[in-house]
Amino acid sequence: MTFVLVRLVAWLGRCAGCPFSLFSSREDSSMSARLLSVTAVAAVLDVDRRTVYRFIAAGELPVVDLRAGTGRSRVRVPVGGLEEFIASRSVVSPRNRR
């Protein structure tokens, strides 16, 4: 398991019971449809919110637009999309050379 994925699991584990947590006391299939705010995604990835918006603009992170009417866009990132993003960017550390 890579460092980033371990960090994500640790962060979500600390957050049990908060709205960003993947883990819940109830087990149901709706947990796979959980949505995260851009701020929460930035916290998980340990980057600035602007970086998350760049990933979204580049099409690397999927979003759900919750805009109501003609107002400003409110986007959320599905947890599954964030997990896929992390997996696609995970690298195996090279072996130490002598």
Side-chain angles (χ1 to χ4, degrees), residues 15-18 21-28 31 34:
C15 227
C18 76
S21 178
L22 291 175
F23 308 107
S24 175
S25 58
R26 62 187 173 123
E27 296 289 327
D28 63 340
M31 295 308 290
R34 172 119 6 202

Side-chain angles (χ1 to χ4, degrees), residues 7-16 20-23 36 44:
R7 187 173 175 171
L8 170 66
V9 171
W11 183 82
L12 290 171
R14 280 196 322 266
C15 227
F20 310 127
S21 178
L22 291 175
F23 308 107
L36 299 174
V44 169

Side-chain angles (χ1 to χ4, degrees), residues 14 32 36 43 46 50 52 54 58 74 76 78 86 89:
R14 280 196 322 266
S32 62
L36 299 174
D46 195 22
R50 290 174 290 186
V52 175
R54 277 188 234 122
R74 288 182 65 127
R76 297 290 184 263
I86 291 170
R89 289 186 160 247

